Amino acid sequence: YQRRVRGLFIFLVYNIFELPNKFLTSLKPSITIMAVFIAVVLIGLKLMMTIQGRSIEKIERIETKTWQLAMNLNPSDGHIMDFATGWTENKFIGTYADALSKDFLDRVVWNTQANFIALVRHQAGEADAVKVFRFVERGRSLLSRFQEMNPGRVVATEGGPIHESISSFAQNLADDPVFSVGGDLAFNWAYTNNGHRIVLTGGHLSAADVNDDGTRGIGNSFYCNPLTGEQFCSVSQHEISIISYPTSDGKYIQGSDHGYGEEKDGPVYGNYAIFVSEDAEKFPQPGFKLTLKVEVE
């Protein structure tokens, strides 16, 4: 549009100055007025386009917020992320290529300060259930939070889920360790020789001096030192629980990622991804295809 206006201006000026001097003289005041008018219009258009572009850029910069994938857990990939593995070691686990299909821990994100956490159950990378929580203590990394094991038993979030969405097609919700239980997230739930990295306060939380093997969660061991993170041997450890009792029947485990003993292979309800953010309070709805970074408005 600007190019057309400028072309019209040049055409008018060129043809007018080819007219006879007498006619040109009589039109000079009009030419001057027209030139000034067109110049003002062009400057105004350019200024409006510049302001509009900067406004759009400013809105996008303010409203776009980012979730980063910190961990993914596949309870049946042959790698056991129990209480003792990965959470406090400050090591990279897995690969970016398999970040949403196998056990994965991004060491950089694990060390990043976070104010919000999202637990996302997904099927082959497609979210089917989401819960978002706000941390009580702001500006701390997941590494620092999970290293806080003695005495542990830290209720890490407040106010319950600030955002929750579950697909109408989601299955196995009645005994899911995250989506069938209410309350806040508690980290490093320790009691006698048992430890669970993530549990929900609405479920059964064993007393510190009771050895009932009764708590269910993510990153679990029923034979460890929960105050140091030491696993005593490859027994009574598993990645993700099912809310099932009693413990003695061994039917409280998802998948095949567990130690030996009473534990038995169980059904897999999905992969469980952990995302963190500094400022995002919502997560895309179920059906969203997950990536290492998720942008929200």
Side-chain angles (χ1 to χ4, degrees):
Y1 177 76
Q2 291 180 349
R3 191 181 301 169
R4 290 180 181 178
V5 173
R6 289 172 183 156
L8 177 61
F9 174 70
I10 294 172
F11 174 82
L12 289 173
V13 173
Y14 176 81
N15 284 279
I16 289 173
F17 276 91
E18 290 296 316
L19 295 175
N21 290 336
K22 182 177 179 180
F23 187 60
L24 179 62
T25 301
S26 65
L27 288 179
K28 280 183 179 180
S30 299
I31 294 172
T32 302
I33 294 172
M34 183 180 294
V36 171
F37 175 75
I38 292 174
V40 170
V41 170
L42 291 176
I43 293 171
L45 286 172
K46 186 173 182 180
L47 182 60
M48 288 176 63
M49 291 175 68
T50 302
I51 293 173
Q52 184 179 20
R54 289 179 179 175
S55 298
I56 293 173
E57 181 183 355
K58 183 177 180 181
I59 291 172
E60 290 178 347
R61 186 167 58 248
I62 292 174
E63 295 187 352
T64 300
K65 301 171 183 179
T66 303
W67 288 100
Q68 298 186 82
L69 177 64
M71 174 183 280
N72 186 71
L73 298 174
N74 179 337
S76 202
D77 69 345
H79 178 267
I80 307 173
M81 290 282 283
D82 60 351
F83 187 85
T85 303
W87 302 84
T88 63
E89 297 170 356
N90 198 21
K91 293 181 181 178
F92 197 101
I93 295 174
T95 66
Y96 287 119
D98 296 323
L100 287 162
S101 61
K102 296 181 179 180
D103 287 354
F104 172 79
L105 187 153
D106 189 321
R107 180 174 176 267
V108 175
V109 180
W110 208 248
N111 279 275
T112 300
Q113 294 182 356
N115 298 324
F116 300 91
I117 182 171
L119 301 187
V120 184
R121 197 182 78 174
H122 63 94
Q123 314 298 327
E126 183 175 306
D128 72 354
V130 177
K131 279 187 177 182
V132 176
F133 299 86
R134 178 186 290 107
F135 281 122
V136 175
E137 290 186 73
R138 306 296 182 90
R140 290 184 60 188
S141 68
L142 289 179
L143 178 64
S144 71
R145 296 176 194 274
F146 286 112
Q147 286 179 336
E148 192 178 353
M149 292 181 284
N150 192 356
R153 303 169 66 88
V154 177
V155 178
T157 66
E158 60 184 353
I162 60 174
H163 172 76
E164 181 176 1
S165 55
I166 298 175
S167 169
S168 59
F169 301 104
Q171 300 179 358
N172 302 309
L173 294 172
D175 53 1
D176 186 284
V178 176
F179 298 99
S180 72
V181 186
D184 278 292
L185 299 182
F187 290 172
N188 299 328
W189 200 258
Y191 56 105
T192 63
N193 64 347
N194 308 276
H196 308 268
R197 289 299 180 179
I198 300 177
V199 298
L200 277 92
T201 58
H204 174 79
L205 298 182
S206 303
D209 59 350
V210 175
N211 189 11
D212 63 356
D213 295 350
T215 299
R216 303 288 184 262
I218 295 175
N220 312 279
S221 176
F222 294 130
Y223 192 49
C224 70
N225 182 340
L227 304 184
T228 65
E230 177 190 2
Q231 178 70 27
F232 293 145
C233 65
S234 297
V235 64
S236 300
Q237 59 188 129
H238 68 283
E239 197 160 293
I240 301 174
S241 300
I242 292 172
I243 306 297
S244 175
Y245 302 96
T247 303
S248 58
D249 66 7
K251 298 178 181 179
Y252 54 87
I253 294 171
Q254 287 194 43
S256 57
D257 290 349
H258 58 78
Y260 65 88
E262 296 176 343
E263 293 88 348
K264 296 177 176 63
D265 291 357
V268 175
Y269 293 175
N271 278 222
Y272 292 73
I274 299 174
F275 286 82
V276 293
S277 177
E278 285 191 302
D279 52 7
E281 299 184 16
K282 293 185 178 181
F283 201 88
Q285 296 296 312
F288 180 82
K289 196 68 175 178
L290 300 174
T291 55
L292 297 179
K293 290 187 178 182
V294 175
E295 302 289 339
V296 295
E297 294 184 354

